[in-house]
Amino acid sequence: IFVLGIGFFTLCFLMTSLGGQFSAKRLGDSPFTIRTEVLGALESRGVLRRMSDMLEMLMKRMDILARLENSTDFHRGDEARFPLDRFQPAAGLMERIQAIAQNVSDIAIKVDQILRNSLLNGKGGLMEGRRDQCEVPRDPKYPDCAGKVEWMRARWTSDPCYAFFGVDGTECSFLIYLSEVEWFCPPLPWRNRTTALPSPPPLPRVQAAFRSDLAHLLELIGTGKESLSFMKKRIRHLAQQWLRAARRLEQKLKDRQREQKHILIHIGFLTEESGDVFSPRVLKGGPLGEMVQWADILAALFLLGHSLRVTVSLKELQSHLGVPPGRGNCPLTNPLPFDLIYTDYHGLQQMKQHMGLSFKKYRCRVRVIDTFGTEPAYNHEEYATLRGYRTNWGYWNLQPTQFMTMFPHTPDNSFMGFVSEELNQTEKQFIKSNKVSSMAVVYGKEASIWKGKEKFLAILNKYMEIHGTVYYETQRPPEVPAFVKNHGLLPQHEFQQLLRKAKLFIGFGFPYEGPAPLEAIANGCVFLQARFNPPHSSLNHEFFRGKPTSREASLAGGGEVSSQHPYAEDFIGKPHVWTVDYNNSEEFEAAIKTIMRTQVDPYLPYEYTCKGMLERIHAYIQHQDFCTTSSSPLPPKAKSPAMQSPPSLLALSPNATHLVWSPSASRDPHAWPPVDSLQVWVSETQHACTETCRQHGLVCEPTFFRFLNKKEVFLQLSITCDSTEYEMNHLYPAVAENVHECYLQKEPLLFSCAGYNTKYRRLCPCRDYRKGQVALCRDCL
């Protein structure tokens, strides 16, 4: 009965499928008949193949049952639950099923042939009279062609985007797609070659002009989310400050040519697909640091005169990019219309999912706004996997300087930053005269930050009136002591007024590295924070675990995260910033007494002013180019010590302590930063390059590593090398002095200023920097 049932079902199915196929040849029915019926038959062909697969699976399972039947142990232990004697295969049943499976497979092949002939007959004009006899070309220039065709045969129906580009299951359509849409196969000689004709010259680019009104930017940002409303309020509040800074920079640059860039800003963490956890929390004390930074980036790009498109939804992103309909496996329908794309990690993931192969082609145009940074060891996928640096956020294989941070954690990334409100002299004098020396404001809008801080608050309460801005809906949070005057969540301008009265702004260890301490210092407060002992890092603290940074070294050379706000500690310091051990009650109390007696002026680092940020972004847009080889670190020419590499372009300094750019060496006028700012120093064994450069009043510059990655540089520095090897390691180039072994970097993406090992002394590329603008060298603007 089983065999007859399968046979009857197969016969009925074939009659239905083939009947539909032959009826498709009646051309008079409808202009859509052929397409509809053939597609139906294509589906039938797929069903036949699935039937064959099911029969084969059934055979295997019955074979397993047969083997289990012969196992006496199985019968003894499980006979009650699996009475196999009731289902023993009849004699010859396995052979009959195998024969049916073979017949179904043969029929599927014949149907496949009929369908192909029918498709070609129906598309004679399109295929220029050729039948589906396309053969996979064997061209050594396209080694992946055969494998891609094989993949298309099996999976072309897995994404509707292939049908969008004309793939219909025929060999010729596979080859047309793989040669004209993707680039894995050579062009077919019989195809219309109009695509090979030279394209018309590009239209002349428009010069960027500084803007004097932010109204159009507010329209571009759009509405519908609390996060967008917050960003627009911030832009309006700082509008006059931005416009004054833009006028000053315009005068400074004078008539310098600046090409207008077409820029897409996609804020991925605000999309519904990423969860948009920030928007509902804007009015409930949630973190606002990212939105502060994005608002300032939008204002700076717009005022610099560039053409912007802003998206906070996946649908808008797909529309702007030209994503074909489907699941994201196909390239974009047209060349990318944007010179630059600013996004975040969520947006980066969304772009990769929906751009297909185009993502790899255009990723050099992406700039990733990355709050805490991504170190090279976490960015390089193979290395991160092999060495245990793999995290949820890294392994994108971008140039590390494509990641842009909120603070200058490491020069391996580009420092983007944000702005704080800058006060004029009249405002500064008014604040100084109205400070209340016994008033403190606690850094923390969420009640959880106050938990367990009763001891510190009790000491502080002996000397100062304590104010909080903790969010609550109906009743006061129990974590906030009764002696604290809690204002609830304040609008930004009211919070600013509170800071202008207060003497002290105190942090309890979290949140890390937010904008609020800089705002407090700019409004004349002293910032008091806890020293972490041991320092926090991804190795010992849950917050940093999973982030693509170990924080083994900071730009200031201070090692791991030694306090709540390392930038404030290292770049500002006393008298504006005090970092003390909160576990030492005497030190904590003494600091409060001293702070009450200390007079400070409002202070804002230049790099966090509107003009400072405009300068920085202008320099990045003009000079950072990751799509040409000249801007990327060059791979080593020599693969072994026996092979010769180009001569060094460096020379020993007059005092013989380090190397500098040779006066006789040529300079690339387009190189950025300029090469004559380079100095090469050798680190101590326990120092990263960030700390080594800092000790000499310089900063590490990762783009200069390519000039150090030569055996001759070791000789110039009088370093003995009994052997020299090329390897992948984010600490190279370096020397293990105790064994006289020298190591050069094999993978340019791993050049890193961060990291150290007691075994190595590293070769470090350093440069000068502008006062108050650590991201730029003296001649970088």
Side-chain angles (χ1 to χ4, degrees):
I1 292 173
F2 176 75
V3 174
L4 290 174
I6 289 180
F8 179 74
F9 172 76
T10 304
L11 180 62
C12 293
F13 181 82
L14 288 175
M15 290 176 66
T16 303
S17 300
L18 295 178
Q21 168 62 31
F22 294 132
S23 67
K25 296 183 179 181
R26 296 193 300 271
L27 300 180
D29 293 350
S30 164
F32 303 103
T33 304
I34 294 178
R35 183 64 177 167
T36 304
E37 295 296 340
V38 169
L39 284 177
L42 286 171
E43 295 174 359
S44 301
R45 178 178 61 186
V47 174
L48 283 172
R49 289 177 177 171
R50 288 195 292 273
M51 283 179 60
S52 178
D53 294 340
M54 290 171 62
L55 287 167
E56 289 180 10
M57 185 181 296
L58 180 60
M59 258 194 325
K60 291 177 182 177
R61 292 185 177 180
M62 294 197 70
D63 185 47
I64 292 171
L65 287 175
R67 288 199 302 271
L68 288 173
E69 181 187 13
N70 296 328
S71 171
T72 55
D73 292 339
F74 180 89
H75 279 290
R76 289 193 189 103
D78 295 282
E79 189 171 7
R81 285 180 294 157
F82 300 98
L84 293 180
D85 54 312
R86 294 179 58 187
F87 299 101
Q88 292 180 8
L93 180 57
M94 293 289 288
E95 289 79 4
R96 295 183 187 182
I97 294 175
Q98 188 173 8
I100 292 171
Q102 184 61 48
N103 288 337
V104 171
S105 179
D106 293 341
I107 292 169
I109 293 173
K110 291 178 181 178
V111 170
D112 186 58
Q113 294 172 348
I114 294 171
L115 290 175
R116 292 189 182 204
N117 290 334
S118 174
L119 282 167
L120 288 172
N121 288 335
K123 297 186 177 184
L126 177 63
M127 304 297 285
E128 299 180 10
R130 290 176 172 269
R131 296 194 174 274
D132 190 12
Q133 297 176 352
C134 293
E135 295 184 0
V136 178
R138 299 182 181 277
D139 189 332
K141 296 179 182 178
Y142 299 88
D144 300 322
C145 184
K148 290 292 180 179
V149 170
E150 188 65 30
W151 188 94
M152 291 291 290
R153 288 193 193 109
R155 301 291 304 278
W156 75 273
T157 58
S158 63
D159 193 324
C161 72
Y162 297 116
F164 174 82
F165 282 110
V167 176
D168 55 18
T170 63
E171 294 289 298
C172 287
S173 71
F174 297 155
L175 291 172
I176 291 169
Y177 174 83
L178 291 171
S179 62
E180 298 179 13
V181 180
E182 296 185 5
W183 42 88
F184 292 104
C185 294
L188 300 175
W190 49 270
R191 287 284 292 174
N192 186 342
R193 302 304 297 276
T194 54
T195 55
L197 296 176
S199 56
L203 297 174
R205 300 300 295 262
V206 177
Q207 291 299 304
F210 282 89
R211 293 189 173 97
S212 57
D213 187 357
L214 287 163
H216 182 55
L217 174 62
L218 300 177
E219 295 176 7
L220 287 174
I221 294 174
T223 58
K225 292 177 179 285
E226 288 294 341
S227 49
L228 298 180
S229 298
F230 171 85
M231 291 162 62
K232 291 164 74 171
K233 286 178 184 176
R234 176 175 175 82
I235 292 172
R236 288 192 196 98
H237 179 68
L238 296 174
Q240 293 306 311
Q241 185 172 318
W242 276 116
L243 293 172
R244 285 195 301 269
R247 286 193 294 270
R248 292 190 196 124
L249 183 59
E250 183 177 17
Q251 294 170 1
K252 187 174 185 177
L253 297 178
K254 295 182 180 178
D255 298 326
R256 193 177 302 183
Q257 296 294 303
R258 297 186 310 113
E259 188 180 89
Q260 186 186 62
K261 303 292 185 182
H262 296 282
I263 301 176
L264 174 66
I265 296 103
H266 177 61
I267 311 176
F269 74 88
L270 293 182
T271 62
E272 299 300 328
E273 289 76 11
S274 69
D276 188 13
V277 297
F278 284 87
S279 293
R281 299 174 64 192
V282 168
L283 301 179
K284 297 183 179 181
L288 301 176
E290 287 84 354
M291 281 171 278
V292 164
Q293 187 181 34
W294 274 109
D296 295 347
I297 291 170
L298 285 164
L301 291 172
F302 184 79
L303 288 174
L304 286 169
H306 299 292
S307 174
L308 307 185
R309 291 289 182 272
V310 183
T311 70
V312 291
S313 77
L314 186 57
K315 186 175 181 180
E316 289 176 324
L317 174 68
Q318 292 172 322
S319 174
H320 286 307
L321 293 177
V323 174
R327 300 189 180 96
N329 289 305
C330 298
L332 302 182
T333 54
N334 294 300
L336 186 69
F338 300 103
D339 302 301
L340 293 169
I341 298 177
Y342 286 81
T343 188
D344 52 27
Y345 261 125
H346 293 283
L348 196 63
Q349 184 65 45
Q350 291 167 352
M351 288 167 58
K352 183 179 180 182
Q353 290 175 348
H354 294 276
M355 289 177 67
L357 291 173
S358 294
F359 177 77
K360 186 175 182 181
K361 181 178 180 180
Y362 293 120
R363 65 184 176 182
C364 61
R365 303 188 191 183
V366 173
R367 306 293 183 265
V368 185
I369 307 304
D370 176 12
T371 304
F372 294 99
T374 299
E375 293 175 10
Y378 295 82
N379 171 60
H380 191 280
E381 183 174 14
E382 179 185 356
Y383 185 76
T385 303
L386 292 174
R387 299 295 184 93
Y389 289 102
R390 197 174 176 93
T391 66
N392 294 333
W393 300 105
Y395 57 90
W396 285 94
N397 293 325
L398 300 176
Q399 291 292 337
T401 38
Q402 287 179 256
F403 297 99
M404 300 186 142
T405 59
M406 181 171 282
F407 291 95
H409 308 299
T410 167
D412 290 329
N413 303 146
S414 297
F415 163 46
M416 172 60 77
F418 58 95
V419 304
S420 287
E421 188 168 359
E422 192 174 5
L423 306 178
N424 58 39
Q425 288 302 320
T426 303
E427 290 170 324
K428 289 180 180 179
Q429 192 60 42
F430 178 80
I431 287 174
K432 286 180 64 178
S433 61
N434 286 274
K435 280 289 178 184
V436 180
S437 61
S438 60
M439 178 178 174
V441 176
V442 174
Y443 181 17
K445 295 175 292 185
E446 295 185 346
S448 59
I449 296 173
W450 295 65
K451 190 174 182 179
K453 307 301 188 299
E454 296 83 1
K455 180 179 178 181
F456 313 132
L457 290 168
I459 296 174
L460 181 61
N461 188 47
K462 289 165 53 178
Y463 302 95
M464 290 187 165
E465 182 182 76
I466 305 174
H467 294 251
T469 56
V470 183
Y471 169 80
Y472 65 94
E473 290 184 356
T474 55
Q475 63 183 45
R476 182 188 180 93
E479 294 88 349
V480 181
F483 55 76
V484 174
K485 185 177 181 180
N486 185 32
H487 299 263
L489 194 64
L490 293 177
Q492 185 66 17
H493 69 280
E494 292 184 27
F495 181 64
Q496 292 273 2
Q497 295 301 318
L498 191 65
L499 292 177
R500 292 184 178 189
K501 291 182 181 179
K503 177 72 173 183
L504 178 67
F505 189 63
I506 182 171
F508 287 144
F510 191 84
Y512 294 104
E513 301 173 304
L518 264 67
E519 293 178 355
I521 295 167
N523 282 287
C525 292
V526 173
F527 178 50
L528 177 64
Q529 62 173 347
R531 180 184 297 115
F532 298 149
N533 188 18
H536 293 179
S537 71
S538 61
L539 304 177
N540 64 11
H541 202 272
E542 188 62 32
F543 179 83
F544 291 103
R545 193 167 292 123
K547 292 181 172 59
T549 172
S550 64
R551 295 303 294 271
E552 290 177 343
S554 70
L555 186 56
E560 298 157 307
V561 182
S562 57
S563 63
Q564 181 175 354
H565 207 291
Y567 177 86
E569 177 186 6
D570 296 325
F571 283 86
I572 301 177
K574 291 182 179 180
H576 303 279
V577 179
W578 288 64
T579 306
V580 301
D581 183 2
Y582 278 25
N583 293 319
N584 186 330
S585 299
E586 293 180 358
E587 182 182 355
F588 179 77
E589 190 167 356
I592 293 172
K593 292 179 181 179
T594 306
I595 289 170
M596 292 179 69
R597 298 190 303 266
T598 305
Q599 295 294 321
V600 296
D601 293 330
Y603 172 72
L604 180 63
Y606 177 75
E607 53 203 353
Y608 285 97
T609 65
C610 288
K611 187 181 177 186
M613 187 168 184
L614 283 171
E615 280 185 0
R616 201 161 53 245
I617 294 183
H618 157 73
Y620 290 154
I621 291 176
Q622 291 298 112
H623 299 292
Q624 283 187 335
D625 181 4
F626 303 107
C627 297
T628 58
T629 54
S630 61
S631 65
S632 303
L634 301 176
K637 302 290 184 182
K639 297 300 179 184
S640 69
M643 299 176 65
Q644 293 297 317
S645 61
S648 171
L649 300 172
L650 306 173
L652 200 62
S653 65
N655 58 6
T657 57
H658 61 283
L659 299 180
V660 296
W661 190 261
S662 174
S664 60
S666 61
R667 291 172 172 81
D668 180 359
H670 301 292
W672 194 83
V675 291
D676 51 8
S677 65
L678 168 63
Q679 296 184 25
V680 181
W681 292 84
V682 183
S683 78
E684 298 299 325
T685 53
Q686 295 186 6
H687 289 175
C689 283
T690 47
E691 187 171 2
T692 299
C693 294
R694 185 73 174 175
Q695 288 176 338
H696 300 287
L698 306 167
V699 295
C700 182
E701 178 51 63
T703 60
F704 286 156
F705 267 112
R706 54 189 171 135
F707 302 119
L708 282 60
N709 204 41
K710 305 175 188 294
K711 183 177 179 179
E712 291 79 9
V713 176
F714 290 113
L715 299 176
Q716 288 179 288
L717 290 165
S718 301
I719 295 174
T720 302
C721 298
D722 291 341
S723 64
T724 306
E725 300 292 338
Y726 282 95
E727 294 182 10
M728 280 202 314
N729 191 309
H730 70 288
L731 303 180
Y732 295 166
V735 56
E737 282 191 327
N738 57 332
V739 291
H740 303 295
E741 294 176 349
C742 297
Y743 300 93
L744 297 175
Q745 182 60 257
K746 184 179 179 181
E747 173 50 68
L749 287 180
L750 287 174
F751 284 135
S752 176
C753 293
Y756 64 89
N757 188 301
T758 55
K759 177 182 176 182
Y760 302 119
R761 296 185 69 193
R762 302 188 57 190
L763 300 190
C764 299
C766 308
R767 64 160 170 84
D768 57 35
Y769 61 93
R770 299 167 66 88
K771 184 179 180 181
Q773 185 74 286
V774 70
L776 303 181
C777 68
R778 290 172 189 162
D779 298 322
C780 279
L781 189 58

